[in-house]
Amino acid sequence: MRISKFLFLISILLLPISPSSSTKSAESEAIQGLLTRLEAKRSPPSVQESAAKAVLRRLLPTHVSSFQFKIVSKDICGGRSCFRISNYKKSSKNEPEIVIEGDTAVEIASGLHWYLKYWCAAHVSWDKTGGIQVASIPKPGFLPLVSDDGVKIQRPVPWNYYQNVVTSSYSYVWWDWERWEKEIDWMALQGINLPLAFTGQETIWQSVFSDFNITIQDLNDFFGGPAFLAWARMGNLHGWGGPLSKNWLDQQLVLQKQILSRMVEFGMTPVLPSFSGNVPGTLKDIFPSANITRLGEWNTINGDTRWCCTFLLDPSDPLFIEIGEAFIKRQIKEYGDVTDIYNCDTFNENTPPTNDPSYISSLGAAIFKAMSKADKDAVWLMQGWLFYSDSSFWKPPQMKALLHSVPFGKMIVLDLFADVKPIWKTSSQFYGTPYIWCMLHNFGGNIEMYGILDAIASGPVDARISANSTMVGVGTCMEGIEQNPVVYELMSEMAFRSNKVQVQEWLKRYSQRRYGKAVPKVEASWEILHGTIYNCTDGIADHNTDFIVKFPDWDPSMQMHIAPKRRRRFTPNRGRRFIFSETSSPLPQAHLWYSTQDVVKALKLFLDAGGDMAGSLTYRYDLVDLTRQVLSKLANQVYLDAIIAFQDKDAKTLSSESRKFQQLIKDIDELLAADDNFLLGPWLESAKKLALNPSELKQYEWNARTQVTMWFDNSKSNQSKLHDYANKFWSGLLEGYYLPRASIYFSHLVKSLKENETFKLEDWRKEWISFSNEWQESNQPYPVKAQGDALLISKALYEKYFG
């Protein structure tokens, strides 16, 4: 979880210390040795070639005979991983047309994707962001040839990492094998060769803890519910949303084995979890002399010990090494020897009990010792989020103590937020520790058009070619997937780009691939989007705070004495109903980093091109998303106008603007309902589908509903501190949840003016929270299929609000 209080305007002050040349040489040798050992764990060439062929069969079954795939040595690329595309020397009509070679199945799949993109103008996206566009690919027998010399693309750095430790909860929690198979195919096509593999670890923990006399019943208070496992794993909470049933544990272990088997078939190196010290409270009773402390409160309302204040086993305690070693050994027994890389994140948004560097060093050494006792070749992969989120604690002495607590080359750090706040620049390349340049991009799985394309197109290159660089990979570490496909396509390409990308030209080709044709108006729209929505350079981490989905929890009558501050607003102008102008107010502000007037123009261009692309699923997804984006920003201003009217005691305008805000929610809901990818129903149904009895059915649906709404605990008059963190622009959620909230709030404002009373914030909270609790407990079904014509609805809404 990336909590907002850590995200804004935090600076990192670290002294520049350059690693010595001898250190860099040792690092290079250590990494090369690691790569050599990992290569020995790969599947045989025949297995990998079959895995690559299977991707082609699932992606493009009509062209299975058109390609020949072959695993080759890295020697063809000077010792680096690469793929090579060449023409097949045909002697008969029915032979392949294109040969793709690579040192792993991932390289071959990446080469296939590269060829389909840059020679056939095809496009591959997640199903929920429009899916694939393959209509532009010529029929078998007519595939375009590459140059006579072929095409060879090398990786400039060894690894392309994928996932955040919380993606497993925000996006993957309800997946079955069918959905995981699609994701691993997508990963292979994008060139991902270092994926996190966290599924099913609770089953391993149950087995390990049983050897320490901890019962299944004891673990009911330790594991979180299915939708909150990520934070239970990190020691942020315990018990919330649980307990986990035997059915769940059994299902997830089987699923993990399928996931790992497929990753290994592709030649990927899965990253498995390890022990960080997070233990069940009952361990203290079983081992009373063990050095176990209770951590502080993490985002609960009243410090409720049913969920908060988890237990940490001190690394100096011998029991720490025993448990850590046992966990990794149990994984190896269950999964086989599939990796040497293990993830562990210490004190994720929990501050250590002391800033003493020697303590921090002992912590790191103990974690690594537990890994290396079970796997002598173990390498620790650590998210570098703590160096940003708690930068006031992690000063140079503390940072170096942790990074240098293990032998050089035995730790890899994820520079998790390098797209916005790169740590490598201010820490002398993590004080000589190998790191992976990562894009975080998305928080909470929110749906909002956002990105920094120019930073993605240049940041990894700048880091790699910088003096004394210790960069060994690129990574994609979003909290939630299936949004902003343009950002993820560009980021995945940076695993194969040695030079910076000219984004404007790249976007032109992207547009042609995504929609299957060149449409000048759409290309012009993307040019605007590049300079606005996808050019967020304000340094603020984007977490959707639009008022529809994150309704302000405040009493506007208490803010009237505050001095005004400048803000932007929509105002009428030149036949357009709304543009931006400057005004001033003490009112809350949603994140806004671009001219909405320009984005309205981009939407108009997009709509004008609809006649050429009405049948395109990728076009429809982007149209719905862009229309939603424009209207949600308009709704922010309408909300502010309603609040201004309340403060001016203008009951008529308050009533009018509040109705307009609520109508916008209804209109956006109708728009989203016209695309399968913006529905609440599939999220809920995928949760219920995993249930094997009525108890699980109720629990899983509650988990699914709660995560995207209240998130964590609340009292009768206080919302969860994390409410709306995982907000979603989904049809059904807008009318069923966000609309009643706004309606209740505005009705209390109107009543306050009518009766000349102060606004009763606590009364609103009680009524609203009661509704939320009931909604979370309910089982009302929501549609799983779209209704309506997205293009017609979008056009009508444009005319209604901007025409």
Side-chain angles (χ1 to χ4, degrees):
M1 170 67 74
R2 316 296 161 214
I3 307 306
S4 58
K5 67 181 180 181
F6 291 130
L7 296 180
F8 298 97
L9 306 177
I10 301 176
S11 61
I12 297 175
L13 304 174
L14 296 170
L15 299 176
I17 301 176
S18 300
S20 66
S21 58
S22 60
T23 298
K24 280 187 63 63
S25 176
E27 287 285 336
S28 178
E29 291 179 11
I31 293 299
Q32 189 55 52
L34 172 61
L35 291 170
T36 301
R37 291 192 298 274
L38 293 175
E39 288 171 12
K41 298 179 187 292
R42 290 178 186 160
S43 297
S46 60
V47 172
Q48 294 192 60
E49 289 168 0
S50 295
K53 203 75 170 180
V55 172
L56 174 60
R57 187 176 298 109
R58 289 186 289 269
L59 177 67
L60 205 61
T62 54
H63 288 67
V64 171
S65 299
S66 299
F67 294 88
Q68 182 184 82
F69 296 154
K70 186 178 180 181
I71 295 291
V72 295
S73 168
K74 285 197 301 187
D75 293 342
I76 69 167
C77 291
R80 296 185 189 176
S81 290
C82 74
F83 59 79
R84 186 166 63 180
I85 308 170
S86 57
N87 303 319
Y88 186 86
K89 297 178 181 179
K90 300 181 68 170
S91 58
S92 66
K93 183 178 180 181
N94 296 322
E95 291 181 313
E97 301 169 73
I98 299 295
V99 179
I100 302 179
E101 301 167 306
D103 59 297
T104 68
V106 171
E107 309 307 316
I108 292 174
S110 303
L112 171 66
H113 190 203
W114 200 273
Y115 174 79
L116 294 178
K117 286 202 300 186
Y118 288 108
W119 276 264
C120 302
H123 174 75
V124 177
S125 181
W126 289 299
D127 286 351
K128 285 186 70 67
T129 55
I132 63 174
Q133 184 289 111
V134 294
S136 60
I137 300 176
K139 294 179 180 180
F142 298 93
L143 290 181
L145 301 177
V146 298
S147 65
D148 291 341
D149 294 335
V151 176
K152 183 169 66 177
I153 304 290
Q154 292 177 313
R155 289 184 186 266
V157 283
W159 286 301
N160 186 1
Y161 174 82
Y162 183 55
Q163 294 179 45
N164 186 299
V165 294
V166 302
T167 319
S168 58
S169 290
Y170 282 131
S171 292
Y172 306 157
V173 53
W174 310 120
W175 284 7
D176 56 15
W177 170 243
E178 181 182 2
R179 179 61 186 86
W180 262 110
E181 182 175 58
K182 289 184 177 181
E183 189 69 9
I184 298 172
D185 282 357
W186 180 89
M187 289 160 53
L189 292 164
Q190 307 299 328
I192 291 160
N193 58 7
L194 191 66
L196 206 60
F198 266 27
T199 302
Q201 64 176 280
E202 283 67 33
T203 314
I204 304 294
W205 278 121
Q206 178 186 309
S207 177
V208 169
F209 282 133
S210 69
D211 292 338
F212 292 86
N213 299 318
I214 295 176
T215 67
I216 294 175
Q217 289 70 33
D218 292 330
L219 293 175
N220 287 342
D221 183 51
F222 180 60
F223 297 140
F228 301 96
L229 284 176
W231 302 276
R233 292 165 180 170
M234 291 185 287
N236 300 132
L237 55 80
H238 63 99
W240 179 250
L244 296 179
S245 68
K246 185 178 185 301
N247 289 333
W248 174 270
L249 294 170
D250 291 345
Q251 286 173 331
Q252 294 299 297
L253 183 62
V254 170
L255 183 58
Q256 171 75 335
K257 290 181 178 180
Q258 290 175 297
I259 292 167
L260 289 174
S261 177
R262 183 59 55 83
M263 287 178 174
V264 172
E265 287 176 11
F266 276 117
M268 298 176 182
T269 298
V271 178
L272 293 176
S274 62
F275 181 53
S276 64
N278 180 33
V279 294
T282 190
L283 191 72
K284 194 171 180 63
D285 300 325
I286 299 171
F287 297 93
S289 62
N291 187 356
I292 298 174
T293 56
R294 194 153 200 178
L295 295 176
E297 189 277 330
W298 186 85
N299 289 296
T300 57
I301 286 293
N302 297 316
D304 194 326
T305 54
R306 288 177 298 171
W307 343 113
C308 94
C309 313
T310 55
F311 294 87
L312 182 76
L313 175 62
D314 194 277
S316 64
D317 196 295
L319 194 58
F320 188 101
I321 307 296
E322 287 185 52
I323 295 175
E325 179 184 3
F327 179 67
I328 288 183
K329 282 185 173 179
R330 174 60 66 171
Q331 287 188 113
I332 295 173
K333 181 178 179 180
E334 286 284 352
Y335 308 143
D337 186 13
V338 297
T339 190
D340 287 330
I341 303 183
Y342 302 92
N343 169 264
C344 181
D345 294 312
T346 55
F347 297 107
N348 184 74
E349 295 174 8
N350 286 309
T351 303
T354 173
N355 65 359
D356 181 357
S358 62
Y359 169 81
I360 294 171
S361 181
S362 70
L363 170 71
I367 290 171
F368 180 69
K369 184 176 181 181
M371 294 181 192
S372 58
K373 282 196 72 174
D375 180 350
K376 63 181 179 61
D377 296 321
V379 171
W380 177 3
L381 181 82
M382 183 185 75
Q383 291 193 153
W385 177 253
L386 71 172
F387 300 136
Y388 167 75
S389 68
D390 199 4
S391 60
S392 61
F393 177 90
W394 292 100
K395 300 298 184 182
Q398 291 75 30
M399 197 172 172
K400 284 188 285 186
L402 182 57
L403 295 174
H404 293 174
S405 64
V406 303
F408 280 114
K410 291 293 188 175
M411 175 183 281
I412 300 172
V413 182
L414 302 177
D415 197 353
L416 206 72
F417 204 19
D419 53 325
V420 176
K421 298 288 184 181
I423 304 298
W424 70 267
K425 288 185 176 181
T426 54
S427 65
S428 292
Q429 311 274 347
F430 290 95
Y431 303 106
T433 304
Y435 75 94
I436 294 176
W437 192 103
C438 297
M439 175 191 78
L440 208 168
H441 182 261
N442 177 273
F443 291 83
N446 297 162
I447 296 173
E448 177 164 37
M449 296 181 74
Y450 158 83
I452 322 172
L453 294 181
D454 289 343
I456 295 169
S458 60
V461 177
D462 288 337
R464 181 175 54 80
I465 66 176
S466 63
N468 299 313
S469 177
T470 58
M471 176 180 161
V472 293
V474 297
T476 308
C477 299
M478 67 285 115
E479 291 195 347
I481 64 167
E482 298 177 321
Q483 35 74 34
N484 288 288
V486 64
V487 173
Y488 294 88
E489 179 156 334
L490 178 59
M491 185 64 225
S492 68
E493 281 198 16
M494 298 312 294
F496 298 97
R497 295 280 189 177
S498 296
N499 300 311
K500 297 179 182 181
V501 175
Q502 299 301 313
V503 177
Q504 195 56 56
E505 179 58 33
W506 185 90
L507 275 174
K508 185 175 181 180
R509 298 188 70 177
Y510 170 84
S511 171
Q512 294 170 7
R513 295 195 304 268
R514 183 154 170 83
Y515 312 122
K517 61 178 73 174
V519 181
K521 287 185 178 179
V522 171
E523 292 172 7
S525 178
W526 271 106
E527 186 171 349
I528 294 173
L529 296 178
H530 173 213
T532 52
I533 285 175
Y534 292 110
N535 185 36
C536 184
T537 57
D538 59 11
I540 298 175
D542 187 65
H543 182 204
N544 195 338
T545 53
D546 287 347
F547 298 143
I548 287 177
V549 294
K550 192 171 177 61
F551 201 78
D553 181 22
W554 73 310
D555 179 357
S557 62
M558 300 296 292
Q559 307 296 322
M560 296 181 184
H561 66 283
I562 299 177
K565 62 181 179 182
R566 297 190 68 78
R567 64 177 172 87
R568 283 181 157 183
R569 59 166 292 159
F570 280 99
T571 54
N573 185 59
R574 297 182 185 174
R576 295 186 182 278
R577 199 165 299 174
F578 298 97
I579 66 164
F580 257 141
S581 64
E582 294 287 345
T583 183
S584 60
S585 170
L587 304 179
Q589 298 297 299
H591 184 205
L592 186 62
W593 62 96
Y594 59 85
S595 162
T596 56
Q597 181 183 12
D598 288 343
V599 176
V600 170
K601 292 177 183 177
L603 174 59
K604 182 63 165 61
L605 288 166
F606 223 81
L607 283 167
D608 288 346
D612 293 327
M613 297 192 295
S616 166
L617 295 178
T618 47
Y619 169 78
R620 186 177 73 180
Y621 173 88
D622 289 346
L623 173 65
V624 170
D625 204 20
L626 182 55
T627 308
R628 174 212 55 74
Q629 180 86 5
V630 168
L631 292 178
S632 66
K633 301 306 177 190
L634 172 58
N636 291 342
Q637 182 55 50
V638 173
Y639 167 85
L640 295 176
D641 289 341
I643 297 301
I644 291 170
F646 171 80
Q647 294 183 339
D648 291 343
K649 299 187 181 298
D650 183 350
K652 182 178 179 181
T653 301
L654 170 60
S655 179
S656 172
E657 295 302 309
S658 65
R659 285 197 306 270
K660 188 183 297 182
F661 184 84
Q662 293 171 72
Q663 186 60 50
L664 272 162
I665 297 178
K666 295 177 183 178
D667 287 343
I668 297 173
D669 191 278
E670 180 187 11
L671 169 73
L672 300 177
D675 192 295
D676 289 339
N677 306 305
F678 293 94
L679 305 179
L680 169 63
W683 170 255
L684 299 181
E685 294 305 315
S686 63
K688 292 189 286 184
K689 185 179 177 181
L690 295 183
L692 298 181
N693 57 54
S695 175
E696 291 175 352
L697 187 72
K698 183 177 181 180
Q699 180 193 15
Y700 295 176
E701 182 164 8
W702 183 90
N703 268 254
R705 285 171 174 259
T706 298
Q707 191 209 80
V708 299
T709 53
M710 197 61 78
W711 207 104
F712 209 6
D713 68 334
N714 58 267
S715 66
K716 289 184 179 180
S717 57
N718 283 297
Q719 299 192 71
S720 161
K721 292 180 181 179
L722 303 180
H723 73 89
D724 300 317
Y725 185 91
N727 64 65
K728 302 290 189 294
F729 270 99
W730 282 342
S731 175
L733 196 56
L734 268 73
E735 280 227 43
Y737 188 82
Y738 299 136
L739 179 60
R741 172 170 60 185
S743 178
I744 294 169
Y745 185 81
F746 284 127
S747 68
H748 279 263
L749 285 183
V750 170
K751 180 182 178 182
S752 176
L753 285 190
K754 184 177 181 180
E755 299 179 2
N756 196 26
E757 297 178 339
T758 58
F759 176 63
K760 294 182 171 56
L761 178 64
E762 187 164 312
D763 287 352
W764 169 70
R765 285 175 174 166
K766 287 180 178 179
E767 185 177 353
W768 155 244
I769 292 170
S770 175
F771 173 88
S772 179
N773 290 338
E774 290 176 6
W775 188 90
Q776 291 163 241
E777 292 279 358
S778 68
N779 59 5
Q780 174 192 349
Y782 287 88
V784 295
K785 290 295 181 183
Q787 296 180 335
D789 187 314
L791 179 57
L792 292 180
I793 294 171
S794 181
K795 284 182 175 179
L797 292 177
Y798 180 88
E799 289 302 317
K800 178 177 181 178
Y801 291 104
F802 306 104

